[in-house]
Structure formats: C-alpha cells, structure tokens
Amino acid sequence: MQSHQGYIRFGNDPVAIAKETLHAGSQLLIGEVHLTLNASIPKGHRFALTDLLSGEYISQFGYPFAQSKGIAQGDLLTVDNTMPNIPESSQTAFTPPVPTSLKPEYSSMTFQGYRRSDGKVGTRNFYLIVPTSMCSSETARQIAALLDQDVDVTAVGLDGIVAIPHTEGCGCASTGQIDRLLTVLAGFVGHPNVIGCLILDLGCEQTDYARVHAALRDTISTTGRPVDWMTIQKSGGTRATIDSAVKLVHQRLKKIQLDARVPCPISSLVLGTECGASDSFSGISANPLIGSVTNRIIWGGGAAILSEIPEMLGTFDMLFSRFRSLEVADKFQNAVNWYVSMAEVLGVNIYDNLVPKNIEGGLINSYLKSLGAVLKGGTTPIEDVVGYGKPAASVGLSIMQGPGGDLESVTGLVSSGANLVCFSTGYGAITGSAICPVIKISSNTDIFHALPDDIDFDAGRLLTGSIFDQLTDELLAYCLRVASGEKTSTERMGQHQFQVWTAGKLSL
C-alpha cells in the first residue's frame, strides 16, 4: 500500500483512493504518475491514475471490480462511468495450500476463560431463556426482564439473564426453516457462553417440546449443563407460566456451580468476523486489521469464521489458492450460487446488499465492497465451508453460508461457535449479540469520536500514519482482554440481539 497525505494506492491498481476530499485541478505525483484531477474527489472515492478505455477491467487489491465506460486520467469513478462487470474465473489448475504452522509467539498467548466440561471455553456466563417459537417469544422476554430486575447478576457471577425472542417455529414449511431454527437453538443452548437455560414452548407449534427435545438431546447431554422446560398451555397460561418460570430460575441459580476463569490458550478462541454500515475505508483499514488478528489467532491454534456470502460476490479468484481442497472450493461456489438462485426465485436483486450510504462513501458496486469485506478472513487456508449456524472447523478459517444482514449474520456466527466477534463499521453499526462479546472497530477516526459509546477500537489510525503491525498487536491484546471479561461497547449499551436468518420463508 502506498499512502500519502491525500491518497492511498494498492500495488499497481489503476486507481487511488482519496483520504480527504481532493479538489478539481489539484496536481498529484503518485509513484511515477503525474496527473491533474479533472473533478473534485470526495473522501473515500476512487480516481483514475491512467486513461481507462471503454470495456477495460478496473482492479482494486489487484482484482477486477468493474469495467470502464471510458474514463480519463484524473476522473472520479462513479456508478455512471463504470459497469458492475467482472471477467469469468480464470482458475484452472489447483494446488492445495501449505498447512498452517503454529507460531510460538501466538500459541503461547493466554486469556482468562471459562473451561467447560465438554472441552469448550467460554468468554462469558449467560443464563438463557429460549422460546421455541414466535408464540412463546414475548413470554420469554417478559421472564428475562423480571429476572433481570430481581437478580444481581454480578453477585452470582453471571453476565446476564437474556431471552432470545424470534419470529420462527410455526406458520411455515415443516422442513427447511424449522431445521434451520433448530440448528441455531442447538448452537446457542450448547454454546460455551451459556451456563444453563430454560426452554419455553407454547404447546401446539411445530417446534413443541417433543420436536425440540429430540433435536437438542445430544447437545444437552454433551454439555452437561442444566436445561429446564416449560409449556405455556400446560402451565396455566401466561401469568402462571411467568410466575413459575421466575421461581424455577431463582432456584436453579442457587444450585448452579459456576466455573471460575482460568488461563486458557489462544487456541480456545473462535473469532467471528463481521462488517456493517461499511464505507470505502472499511476494506482499507478495519477489515485488513481484523484479518491480521484472524491470522494471529489461527497461528496460535485457534479458529475463525468468515461469513456474509452476498459480500463475497466476485471473490472466487481472490480466494481460490486458499481453499483446502477443490471440494471446499466447490462448496464455496455452491454457497454463492445458492444465494444467487434464491434471490432470483424470490425476485430479489442480490446486488441490493449495496445500500445508498455504501455508494455515498465510495463503494460504487457490490464487487468492490466484496473485495474489501473478505479481508476480514486474513490470509490462512480456508478449511471448510459450513451451513448457516452449523459448527465451524475447530482449527483454522471456515466460511459460513449466511446473509449480509448484521443481526442474522452475527447470530449465525455465534451459533457456529464464535466466542468472540470482531465487527468493522464505517458509519457506526451498533449490533451486538445475545450471548457473545462483540468488538466494534471503526474504519475511520471520525466515527470513533462521533460514537464514543458504540465503538471500541479506532482502525482509522492506519490512514494517518499508524503502523499496521503495531495496531494489530494492540487489537489482539484488546481481544484477549475482552475474552477475559472486559466489557465491550455493545455489552455496556445492552445490545443483545438475536435474529435467525429466514431466507426463503413462505408464511403459511
């Protein structure tokens, strides 16, 4: 990366990015290129370093993201003078990547975690109220709210008593959508950040006790944590259920023997990576920084998860050399193709993942956004591609099938096993997780100062001269402190979101 006070350029890319607004008529020397800007270049936008002929592909990070309609040197790149097209994949021969080697400087790192009896390690202690359907969700929320008032969670060693209300469980096909919900519920009930739960059904929905218990039986048996059940229709209705549930949880909390924090190796971390409300600098500062931390955790023997398939469009060539096998590469292509096909079936434009603020910030098409988004996954081999909310590989990087929407994506990452999430944002996304600490990392310093209660880490310092490796070390150290119990902005602000991805749902 070539960085100057006014611009950034990567390698031999034919474009540069304005770090601050550059005025028309400004004369620049970029490498050996002398140019005069033909227009004002807004902060975060790209301008041509050479004439780009009509039909010529334009690259960022060395990979194409658009075709030129005819752009002169010094012109601003816009949605009007580019076409969102990229060439067909040029990959033919495949060579498996070299296996990841542990690096002692990272494998020796530790944090203070909760070592569970099933071998997993938690970063938090939550008691969970789990509704099996939308029909029991409001009651579950009310139970959690009353317990939150009654219980001094700090005194009993908890990080909270939370409900995970949702809109699933009935009124839809009895297969795919129900199976997805059960996968996610199993991921949360069995998550190492959960020390016990109360599962609540109405009694007549598709996800009643019989079906949910059968789906969660192995999870409950493996974790060995206390799980209680209540059915509203068999417990005297809403008021009686709430009263009984509050008493039951009080009694349960008196009996639970909570684990103490003990030193745990960095290999116990599963890092979920997310981006939301992105700007042009997300792919230049925050996402590469998260990717660098991802590498270090994996070099220490840990795992990480990259998701948001709609934000991976056009990245197959970029990722190809990293797939563990051709089978994994095919899984990735199938995940992308499934998403594209589903969008066509539903009559949805998959490129609507790009929102007006993205474009305003300089991300003029989805391919450009994707090239920056996948940088969160670092550079190590991609071990597997897993279904939404399904368990990720225990070591190394996995890609999870899932949407770009923050709430559904973070929920899937946590269900897949993430016990810590790094979340980049350019405009200030505030999403958290019901049971997992989420670290908010700003791509620019302005947002870091504008939203002091919502942002934890300023990656925008990379744009003003901070050294990349030093910031990586700083962010990694902060991740270990958070994993050891230090609260993040989302936790302090009570951002405990939970939302299951319902793509393809047909209400019945």
Side-chain angles (χ1 to χ4, degrees), residues 110 174 205 243 253 259 266 276 286 295 328 334 407 416 430 437 444 453 498:
T110 62
S174 63
E205 64 269 75
D243 291 343
L253 292 178
D259 299 317
I266 197 173
N295 284 346
V328 176
N334 291 338
L407 275 67
S416 285
I430 60 174
N444 62 85
D453 293 329
F498 175 89

Side-chain angles (χ1 to χ4, degrees), residues 330-342:
D330 288 342
K331 283 184 178 182
F332 176 77
Q333 281 289 66
N334 291 338
V336 173
N337 293 340
W338 181 93
Y339 223 112
V340 172
S341 298
M342 181 59 73

Side-chain angles (χ1 to χ4, degrees), residues 369-387:
K369 185 179 182 184
S370 293
L371 291 176
V374 297
L375 297 179
K376 301 190 302 295
T379 59
T380 65
I382 298 165
E383 304 297 338
D384 201 2
V385 176
V386 301

